[in-house]
Amino acid sequence: MAALAAGSSPPLDVRQRGERARRILLWLYAGLFYCFLYLPILLLVVLSFNDSQTIGLPLQGATLRWYREVLGSPEMMWSIANSFMLGVVSAVIATLLALLMALGFRQEFPLKALLMKIILLPILIPGIVGGVIYLVFFGYGEMRFGVWSSALPVHITWVLPFAFLTLFPRIHGLDRSLEEAAADLGARPFTVFRRVVLPIIRPGVVATAMFAFTLSFDEFIRTLFVIGNERTAPVHLWTLLSDQMAPFLPAVGVLITVISMLVSFVGFAASARASRTG
Amino acid sequence: MSSFDPDGRGSLDRRHFLGGTLAGAAALSGFGLAGPAAAQGAEVTALMVNAMLSPSLKPIAEAEAKVTIKEGAFLSGTDTVSRLTAPGGARYDLMNSSYAFSHPVVMGPKAGAERVQPIDVSLIPNMRFINEPSKEGIGQRDGKVYMVPHSWGFDSILYNRDVVPDDDPYTQSWSLLFEDKYAGRIGWWDVAHQMLMAAGLYLGHAEPEKMDRNQLNEVSKFLISKKKNVRTFYTTFAQGSNLLASGEIAVGYGIAPMRNELKKRGFNITGSWPKEGVLSLISASYIPKDSRNVAGAHALINAMLGERYAKELSNGSGYLSASTFAQENLTPEFRKEFGYGIFDGSVKHYQLKFPTNMNMWIETWSKVKSA
Amino acid sequence: MIVAATAKVAGRRDLRPLLVVPGALWLLVFGVAPLVLLFAMSFWTSSIFGTTTDFTLDNYRVIADDPVYVQVLLQTLRIAATVTALSLLAGYPMAYFLASLGGGRRNFFLVLLFLPFWSSYVVRTFVWLPMLGRNGLVNTVLMEMGLISQPLDWLLYNEGATHIGLVYVYTLFMTLPIYLSLDRIDRKLIEAAADLGAGPFRTFARVTFPLSMPGVLSGCVMVFLLACGAYVTPQLLGGTSGMMFGNVIAPQYTVTNNWALGAALSVILVLVVFLCLVVFGRRVRLNDIFIGG
């Protein structure tokens, strides 16, 4: 997401010999790559309409019943709603924390290098361990397991490093002379931030929040261990794979993809607008 | 442990029960604020095999108990029991898992160390109808009842009749799951306990749960030598069912609900009755100490032993109800199909028991898996 | 000028570093503390009756005594390393392709790269079952074309399938950072190389590739880490052979109730992964790896 919102730079690789041949090769490769990427997704879409009691080929006629079953299941809809809300809230909080940290990181302070390593920690811990430590941590903390009690902190912690790493280079590279000029003219620090810094970094902030949302929406293994009785969409999908045959599973997958695509496009449009007005 | 004393209720810990009821009431009022669930009565968060609350069974249980059931994500019986000892409490109002496997943990090492609360049998009038063989599944100590039997399940080998003919002699024993005839089309359940029990039984051990290290080593050697026949392991019911349904495997270790669901969805898949015996187990219900709706949990246990639920249980889940209601007016086909012969001895079965040294079993199984 | 500004602020005591406090506190509580608890727990005692805080070294002894654990750990590292290499091979040309496009097209293909990522991780793994299975798409197509008469069984339920699944699931984490660092390369450098008569391959080897190293390292570290912690993919696709360390850790919590042993196994995985990073990241500072060029 971060990449999408960034202004596009001129194409790499110009004015060279044999450019045409290489370009054709690259396009061929990209075609293959996108096939690899999309063939399974297309199969998923096809299977979601397949009137068969198993998830798979052969095709046995088209039906909409799986979509009806899914849309008629309040559990499924709740899990998607939970994932969506959790994604928004954790993206907002994590982006805010990351923004503050990135602003603080422009100055020197003691233990800065150590803090940098701590920020990276949630990324460095392998996923399965990430799930286990929160099970233990919230277990001994006697915390209730649920979307808003235990899953929210887990999601914020998981996306925080990514949010920081996307924001930090943008804020670090800011030209300080504008701020100084504003300060020289007597603007208070907060005013400087609001009137000078924020407009410049706004597209970056929006892009970061979008990236954070995507990560949270897709998070599975850490959530699985601490969600208790409640469900996010990926966890619900996993339980569908566990305790019952679920021929409607492809339909669920397609719906989740469509929903997160819509959300992301809205976010993309918003960040594009932010860059224009910024 | 074998006989149930209906007058034992006099000695019930009333303070416990009162506390529980208060907690239940508190939970109830809490939900009044929390959400729409309260509209239909108190909510009971239950952790049990999902088939026990399948679409035809859940409404009966809810109506009879006058509660709303919220299902936890059931992973396995062992996972269910392990939650009893997890820091921060079990976090469920009612739980259900294999009696033999849960009993040691549920009852704790000694009196007073029980991990669950005593069940007030005066609130479970349907306990009168528990059939004779199932009384073994009542967990009690010092006159207090801690576990109430719910149903019987049994594990056997499921096979696809398009690939494995019914008259194939392999279907007569557990050999179907191990031997080379259907190499590459076999699925094993990734559970140490059940797989080693089945293999032990097949290799002729009279009491597989008592196998020592040497015997376990032999079993693991056997399994490793047969692993080449295995297409894949699966960890959950649904994975196994999907594998059988999609034709990925033709033979697999399976539990009663898998067999029931596959049949219902129209697959030509059935379960065998091996001569060494199917592996049977009694499922029992228990109420964790931190249950927030003790009254609702009691009502639910009672409802699940009641006439309507018991009569629907086999059809809705594949399990055999522990209640005598379920055995009334059965057609011979129905009896045969669902294995009611377990109750009168006409179907050979061997009850799954807790191994003498569980850790050794786990080790043995991981050796098989990573070989 | 910067010095002057800093000095001026310093006169009033610079409070701006305090902005890191909320985030730092958050990470101490939810990042560091759980890890410390896990470490402590690896020295506790678990039985079927639960976990007590009695100190013991038994958990580590069990792991040391049983060769299974080391074997699976090595297998995990091997799979993670192969997956990383495969992702790099697949992802680099893709990133180069994206960077070589003009603005409008580039955005279109970037979105196209992101789209599958928006379907759930579980779905992206699961979908390989109907792709590679006996009656899967690949087998069906090959049989329709008459290339094979029997379905190929070796497509699924082995280490190969685990590799495909992991590469598929994590490919974005490789492609994106490489693309970002290619994108940042000063185009004048490439033109200069061309002007000086360097051929396209020489330009790539001497200029483009070295300059994209931060992205390459960042992607490699990311994919390696994610693959080391994999649990669902090997379980769904790996069959009888694709077991990874995550599949050894999880059952300690969900099956055998041996939390302390699970904690010890987790500690070992974390330490080994950190060690790999230290060795891997010696030439580059860790921060640069993640932040990219």
Side-chain angles (χ1 to χ4, degrees), chain B residues 218-230:
Chain B
E218 262 167 49
V219 171
S220 80
K221 234 178 266 162
F222 168 73
L223 286 174
I224 289 169
S225 75
K226 296 299 178 194
K227 201 176 143 185
K228 61 177 180 1
N229 298 339
V230 178

Side-chain angles (χ1 to χ4, degrees), chain C residues 28-113:
Chain C
L28 279 181
V29 174
F30 292 110
V32 179
L35 208 57
V36 172
L37 180 63
L38 182 84
F39 185 70
M41 194 174 188
S42 70
F43 297 101
W44 293 354
T45 310
S46 276
S47 74
I48 59 163
F49 301 116
T51 303
T52 58
T53 53
D54 304 321
F55 180 89
T56 179
L57 287 171
D58 276 356
N59 303 311
Y60 290 98
R61 212 167 283 142
V62 166
I63 298 169
D65 285 350
D66 196 336
V68 163
Y69 296 109
V70 178
Q71 195 186 320
V72 177
L73 183 62
L74 290 177
Q75 176 163 317
T76 305
L77 294 178
R78 181 169 52 77
I79 293 177
T82 325
V83 165
T84 309
L86 288 173
S87 302
L88 179 59
L89 279 178
Y92 199 98
M94 199 53 214
Y96 195 90
F97 166 77
L98 289 168
S100 73
L101 294 173
R105 273 183 179 172
R106 182 188 299 193
N107 274 349
F108 172 76
F109 279 101
L110 262 173
V111 171
L112 219 54
L113 186 71

Side-chain angles (χ1 to χ4, degrees), chain B residues 98-358:
Chain B
S98 146
Y99 172 84
F101 220 85
S102 320
H103 185 261
V105 179
V106 168
M107 302 299 286
K110 57 176 191 294
E114 293 85 8
R115 290 284 179 175
V116 298
Q117 46 185 297
I119 291 168
D120 183 350
V121 292
S122 70
L123 295 174
I124 313 199
N126 286 333
M127 268 186 93
R128 287 176 285 149
F129 303 111
I130 289 178
N131 63 26
E132 218 34 61
S134 308
K135 285 183 179 162
E136 205 183 312
I138 297 172
Q140 50 188 339
R141 178 182 275 155
D142 301 334
K144 284 183 224 164
V145 172
Y146 295 91
M147 301 174 84
V148 175
H150 167 276
S151 59
W152 282 68
F154 58 88
D155 307 353
S156 71
I157 313 111
L158 305 184
Y159 61 92
N160 187 336
R161 298 164 89 172
D162 298 337
V163 180
V164 183
D166 279 335
D167 56 6
D168 185 326
Y170 276 82
T171 62
Q172 302 301 307
S173 86
W174 280 96
S175 60
L176 186 57
L177 190 62
F178 304 114
E179 299 299 349
D180 307 348
K181 181 158 182 190
Y182 297 100
R185 310 294 303 274
I186 297 174
W188 283 357
W189 201 11
D190 185 5
V191 176
H193 180 232
Q194 265 106 323
M195 280 305 298
L196 292 175
M197 282 292 264
L201 213 57
Y202 173 57
L203 293 177
H205 291 280
E207 293 176 299
E209 72 277 3
K210 291 183 182 155
M211 288 189 286
D212 61 21
R213 187 172 285 279
N214 287 333
Q215 288 165 322
L216 277 173
N217 277 341
E218 262 167 49
V219 171
S220 80
K221 234 178 266 162
F222 168 73
L223 286 174
I224 289 169
S225 75
K226 296 299 178 194
K227 201 176 143 185
K228 61 177 180 1
N229 298 339
V230 178
R231 177 110 170 96
T232 184
F233 299 132
Y234 45 90
T235 47
T236 64
F237 312 153
Q239 267 175 292
S241 301
N242 283 326
L243 284 165
L244 280 160
S246 64
E248 204 63 59
I249 59 173
V251 173
Y253 187 101
I255 63 169
M258 281 168 69
R259 167 195 192 127
N260 195 44
E261 185 173 19
L262 284 163
K263 198 175 153 73
K264 275 202 170 157
R265 290 192 184 266
F267 294 101
N268 192 15
I269 288 163
T270 190
S272 70
W273 304 101
K275 62 173 188 279
E276 301 89 352
V278 295
L279 290 166
S280 62
L281 58 95
I282 302 177
S283 290
S285 309
Y286 42 92
I287 307 177
K289 284 208 163 135
D290 61 344
S291 172
R292 290 184 302 171
N293 187 354
V294 179
H298 277 87
L300 201 50
I301 293 177
N302 191 51
M304 292 193 302
L305 289 170
E307 183 167 0
R308 276 181 69 202
Y309 182 91
K311 285 192 164 157
E312 176 58 26
L313 184 64
S314 288
N315 187 40
S317 72
Y319 288 117
L320 313 170
S321 174
S323 158
T324 48
F325 286 124
Q327 283 157 276
E328 289 170 6
N329 311 322
L330 295 183
T331 63
E333 295 79 50
F334 193 91
R335 281 181 62 85
K336 188 164 178 291
E337 168 72 31
F338 288 98
Y340 273 87
I342 282 181
F343 287 146
D344 60 22
S346 61
V347 164
K348 183 148 190 218
H349 68 108
Y350 186 84
Q351 241 179 294
L352 285 163
K353 293 184 185 105
F354 197 82
T356 338
N357 186 343
M358 190 62 194

Side-chain angles (χ1 to χ4, degrees), chain A residues 1 9-10 12 15-16 29 34 37-38 40 100 107 116 132 134 157 184 218 220-221 257 260-261 264, chain C residues 8 16 26 30 90 99 106 109 112 114-115 118-119 121 124 127 168 183 187 190 195 231-232 253 287:
Chain A
M1 277 325 296
S9 42
L12 202 68
R15 286 203 322 122
Q16 286 182 30
Y29 178 78
Y34 280 118
L37 220 50
Y38 277 91
L100 292 177
Q107 284 76 39
M116 189 66 212
V132 164
Y134 291 116
T157 315
D184 284 346
D218 197 38
F220 166 66
I221 187 78
T257 315
S260 54
M261 261 167 51
S264 306
Chain C
K8 189 165 50 186
R16 286 176 299 174
W26 179 277
F30 292 110
R106 182 188 299 193
F109 279 101
L112 219 54
F114 265 94
L115 271 183
W118 284 325
S119 71
Y121 165 77
R124 271 178 291 149
V127 77
Y168 185 70
D183 190 43
R187 302 300 187 264
I190 296 171
D195 287 345
Y231 164 62
V232 169
Y253 293 86
N287 317 355

